[in-house]
């Protein structure tokens, strides 16, 4: 009799998506495109930016998430200044513990705390939408916002599991706000999976860009084509080391980006990363691409 041990750990996909001022006035047009994207990715957790109201949360939950799949719930919504963030999660996998608003000058940073049902592992997800636009003044405001976030993560217990996602509006690796998040002089730092030096708005980094999906104006949003790496997911040290929650290598994805649409719309055929249906959905729903990554929860245990 041969007994083989395997490692049994639940795995989940976490996605971040800037919804472009949702709900706005055109949900009947955009919701089908959002449903196509959500059904294709099938995230276990979705964190969104640029959602504006409780009505928007209810509408996205009922008309997108639970139509594209099933079993989703929304976390507590906090209506702060400017646009807000929200979390949607599969209740079969996670329990929602808290949404904590972290005020900044422009808009809140949100701390969503969730617990995996089978292991009890707790994950903190910070969702940000930092100040937009170029120039020293805007860079300094993004630095101030990043500093506020670091004040929170530096105060977390050692080896805490956390990540930050959202629309950072960083233009390159030398930005002081980006450097602040990665600074390892204190424990609450974040790690970027990619070491992309210099300015990110260039063709050499085309495969990493997340904005803009469009080259023409409709329904709001930017129209510059795919040329900016604004949407990121940065990880705590514990997520990149063996422990209770681990990032799964090579799963971090800017969904729909094949690296061949620099300064172009994401749905110009062909798109070698996704089908034309999904490329169209990404194009018509928002001016940002979603990003996602997968994680293992729980200590690895032998199963006979």
């Amino acid at each position: 009799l041969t007994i083989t041990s395997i490692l049994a750990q639940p795995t989940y996909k976490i996605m971040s998506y800037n919804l472009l001022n949702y709900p706005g006035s055109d949900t009947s047009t955009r919701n089908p495109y959002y449903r196509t994207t959500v059904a294709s990715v099938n995230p276990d957790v979705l964190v969104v930016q640029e959602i504006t109201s409780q009505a928007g949360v209810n509408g996205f939950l009922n008309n997108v998430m639970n139509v594209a799949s099933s079993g989703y719930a929304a976390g507590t919504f906090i209506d702060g200044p400017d646009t807000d963030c929200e979390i949607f999660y599969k209740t079969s996998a996670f329990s929602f513990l808290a949404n904590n608003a972290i005020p900044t000058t422009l808009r809140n940073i949100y701390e969503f705390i969730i617990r995996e049902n089978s292991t009890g592992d707790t994950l903190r997800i910070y969702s940000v939408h930092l100040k937009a636009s170029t120039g020293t003044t805007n860079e300094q405001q993004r630095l101030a916002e990043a500093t506020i976030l670091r004040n929170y993560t530096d105060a977390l217990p050692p080896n805490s599991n956390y990540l930050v996602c959202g629309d950072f509006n960083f233009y390159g690796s030398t930005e002081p706000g980006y450097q602040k998040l990665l600074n390892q002089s204190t424990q609450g730092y974040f790690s970027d999976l990619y070491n992309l030096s210099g300015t990110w708005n260039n063709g050499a980094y085309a495969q990493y860009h997340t904005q803009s999906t469009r080259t023409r104006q409709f329904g709001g949003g930017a129209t510059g084509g795919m040329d900016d790496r604004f949407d990121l997911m940065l990880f705590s040290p514990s997520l990149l080391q063996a422990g209770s929650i681990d990032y799964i290598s090579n799963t971090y994805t800017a969904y729909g980006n094949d690296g061949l649409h620099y300064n172009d719309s994401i749905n110009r055929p062909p798109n070698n990363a996704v089908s034309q249906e999904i490329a169209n959905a990404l194009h018509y729903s928002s001016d940002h691409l979603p990003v996602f990554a997968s994680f293992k929860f729980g200590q690895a245990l032998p199963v006979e």
Side-chain angles (χ1 to χ4, degrees), residues 157-237:
N159 301 315
S160 293
N161 293 305
Y162 59 88
L163 62 87
V164 60
C165 58
D167 181 359
F168 292 76
N169 282 306
F170 291 143
Y171 287 88
S173 63
T174 61
E175 276 223 22
Y178 177 74
Q179 292 295 324
K180 178 66 177 181
L181 293 177
L182 272 57
N183 187 302
Q184 298 186 17
S185 63
T186 49
Q187 68 174 14
Y189 67 89
F190 297 86
S191 294
D192 191 343
L193 295 180
Y194 302 119
N195 182 23
L196 307 180
S197 61
T199 300
W200 297 335
N201 182 352
N202 67 74
Y205 293 144
Q207 65 179 303
Y208 306 102
H209 293 156
T210 63
Q211 200 262 3
S212 167
T213 60
R214 310 159 168 188
T215 57
R216 64 187 187 278
Q217 178 64 50
F218 62 94
T223 58
M226 294 296 299
D227 60 3
D228 287 304
R229 187 191 183 216
F230 285 164
D231 303 84
L232 308 175
M233 192 174 285
L234 307 176
F235 306 121
S236 67

Side-chain angles (χ1 to χ4, degrees), residues 15-17 42 47 51 60 90 132 144 164 183 189 241 252 259 277:
M15 183 165 82
S16 175
Y17 199 4
N42 190 28
V47 176
I51 198 161
F60 200 81
K90 289 185 176 178
V164 60
N183 187 302
Y189 67 89
Q241 303 165 358
Y252 183 86
E277 179 188 19

Side-chain angles (χ1 to χ4, degrees), residues 66-184:
N66 281 325
V67 177
S69 184
S70 62
Y72 286 103
T76 300
F77 176 71
I78 297 176
D79 191 1
D82 203 79
T83 61
D84 302 294
C85 304
E86 180 58 293
I87 188 169
F88 303 93
Y89 61 98
K90 289 185 176 178
T91 58
S92 60
F94 292 95
S95 298
F96 173 81
L97 301 184
N99 176 12
N100 299 314
I102 303 172
T104 76
T105 300
L106 177 59
R107 56 177 75 92
N108 291 336
I109 296 170
Y110 291 94
E111 180 192 50
F112 299 110
I113 306 177
I114 56 175
R115 182 176 58 224
E116 201 278 329
N117 291 335
S118 64
T119 66
D121 293 323
T122 298
L123 177 65
R124 286 176 165 85
I125 303 177
Y126 297 94
S127 182
V128 302
H129 185 187
L130 304 185
K131 180 68 173 70
S133 298
T134 58
T136 301
T137 299
N138 293 313
E139 288 186 1
Q140 287 301 308
Q141 186 163 340
R142 288 194 284 273
L143 170 60
E145 293 164 339
T147 300
I148 289 171
L149 177 57
R150 279 301 302 266
N151 289 340
Y152 273 78
T153 58
D154 285 346
L156 292 175
N159 301 315
S160 293
N161 293 305
Y162 59 88
L163 62 87
V164 60
C165 58
D167 181 359
F168 292 76
N169 282 306
F170 291 143
Y171 287 88
S173 63
T174 61
E175 276 223 22
Y178 177 74
Q179 292 295 324
K180 178 66 177 181
L181 293 177
L182 272 57
N183 187 302
Q184 298 186 17

Side-chain angles (χ1 to χ4, degrees), residues 213 226 256-257 261 264-268 271 279 282-283 289:
T213 60
M226 294 296 299
N257 188 343
H261 287 76
D264 205 348
S265 60
I266 198 66
N267 68 334
R268 180 187 59 81
N271 185 306
L282 294 167
H283 176 268
L289 294 180

